[in-house]
Amino acid sequence: MTVRDTRNTIEGYKEIQAFNEEAIDECYEEIDELRLDETNEVQKYPKPNKEIIASTYKAVFDYQYKNLILSYSLGEDTEKVRKEYVKTVKMIAGVWKMSSGYVQMLTLVSLGILLEVENEVFFDLQKLVEESEEQDALLNYMIGFRENKKVPGSKVLWDKPYKKLIPLIAEEGELSDAEKVDILAEYLQKHWYRNFDGKDTHNTKWNIHIGYWSFESGALVKILGLDDTKLKDLSYYPYDLVHK
């Protein structure tokens, strides 16, 4: 196994993975206890049982999401990453909100395109995005690709850094393929990490680094059919997923 993100080690990634899996098991045990308390009309905490159950399900999703990203960084093969992906998507219903989970959704939609997951798996994400009160041009464009239609747009909910990608999804013919690749190269080199919410995890004394990846860059290359030779060796670009 060859580590894809060398800012952590195989041992380091596996330690985080084991911690997350144990935490997920503990969350499910807590949910079972809370459900029993709710049935017996027992209230042990200041917050209502149902509210705690909901927040605990969100914690389960967050731990599993980290294990998904980690599985790619660790160097797992595509099928293993796909299995982690399916597990993650199954946990998203009822816990995701556009306002707080935009980056997670963009990552999952992008990975769904790169992994070419089955329609019934991808539909769970599509349904959540389409039913959200807030709509995002980048997400809608990628989801449209799965439906064999390209949906141009100009508004992204998170300007930094994603506004830099809007020219790529504008009307056909405005940019050459070479110009689109140049935009992605600049995005990866100058903008993505600078605005990444989880940056610098590799510089802490704690073992918390799960990997840095701009999966949306890979998904756009795949959607647009670009020659990504120029991007191959850039940090954060998931080249092998685009060419799996």
Side-chain angles (χ1 to χ4, degrees):
M1 184 184 296
T2 302
V3 173
R4 292 186 176 95
D5 185 329
T6 57
R7 297 170 186 86
N8 205 340
T9 62
I10 289 178
E11 294 75 21
Y13 284 127
K14 288 191 173 182
E15 180 181 290
I16 299 172
Q17 187 179 54
F19 175 86
N20 290 342
E21 289 173 352
E22 183 177 350
I24 288 171
D25 289 341
E26 290 174 355
C27 283
Y28 279 131
E29 289 175 7
E30 182 179 0
I31 289 168
D32 288 341
E33 291 176 5
L34 287 163
R35 282 177 170 169
L36 184 60
D37 287 345
E38 185 67 11
T39 300
N40 294 329
E41 299 183 350
V42 174
Q43 185 64 52
K44 298 176 182 175
Y45 307 101
K47 290 184 178 180
N49 292 327
K50 288 183 179 179
E51 188 175 328
I52 301 173
I53 289 171
S55 64
T56 307
Y57 270 122
K58 177 62 167 61
V60 168
F61 170 74
D62 289 339
Y63 285 123
Q64 176 55 39
Y65 176 84
K66 290 176 183 177
N67 270 358
L68 167 63
I69 307 303
L70 182 155
S71 69
Y72 182 70
S73 300
L74 174 60
E76 298 282 13
D77 63 34
T78 303
E79 283 311 305
K80 174 62 176 175
V81 176
R82 186 192 302 273
K83 288 178 181 177
E84 293 296 325
Y85 180 88
V86 172
K87 284 169 63 177
T88 307
V89 172
K90 285 181 178 178
M91 294 176 179
I92 199 172
V95 304
W96 179 82
K97 294 180 180 178
M98 182 75 84
S99 58
S100 58
Y102 174 82
V103 175
Q104 289 176 325
M105 181 59 75
L106 182 60
T107 296
L108 290 175
V109 168
S110 300
L111 273 171
I113 290 169
L114 290 168
L115 293 168
E116 298 178 354
V117 298
E118 296 79 1
N119 287 338
E120 55 267 29
V121 176
F122 195 82
F123 179 73
D124 288 344
L125 304 177
Q126 178 181 335
K127 188 171 183 288
L128 287 171
V129 171
E130 290 178 346
E131 291 178 351
S132 175
E133 292 182 2
E134 300 175 285
Q135 292 297 303
D136 176 80
L138 193 53
L139 283 172
N140 289 342
Y141 181 84
M142 290 185 177
I143 288 171
F145 167 74
R146 284 292 299 240
E147 298 178 320
N148 296 314
K149 62 180 181 181
K150 293 182 180 178
V151 184
S154 59
K155 181 183 177 182
V156 288
L157 297 175
W158 285 41
D159 278 358
K160 295 182 179 181
Y162 305 112
K163 190 175 181 179
K164 299 291 182 182
L165 299 175
I166 286 298
L168 301 179
I169 65 174
E171 292 291 345
E172 299 280 345
E174 292 189 8
L175 294 173
S176 68
D177 285 356
E179 288 172 324
K180 291 175 182 178
V181 172
D182 286 342
I183 288 172
L184 281 169
E186 181 179 348
Y187 171 77
L188 288 161
Q189 292 172 307
K190 296 182 179 181
H191 304 290
W192 186 84
Y193 182 77
R194 182 186 303 171
N195 295 284
F196 179 54
D197 189 46
K199 63 178 178 288
D200 294 337
T201 54
H202 66 295
N203 282 329
T204 72
K205 64 180 180 179
W206 310 106
N207 180 29
I208 58 173
H209 180 70
I210 60 172
Y212 303 137
W213 298 105
S214 173
F215 293 112
E216 71 280 359
S217 295
L220 286 170
V221 164
K222 190 163 186 172
I223 290 170
L224 297 166
L226 301 176
D227 178 354
D228 62 350
T229 304
K230 185 175 181 177
L231 309 177
K232 181 177 180 180
D233 296 320
L234 295 185
S235 295
Y236 325 127
Y237 184 67
Y239 182 84
D240 65 333
L241 268 187
V242 180
H243 298 271
K244 68 177 184 59

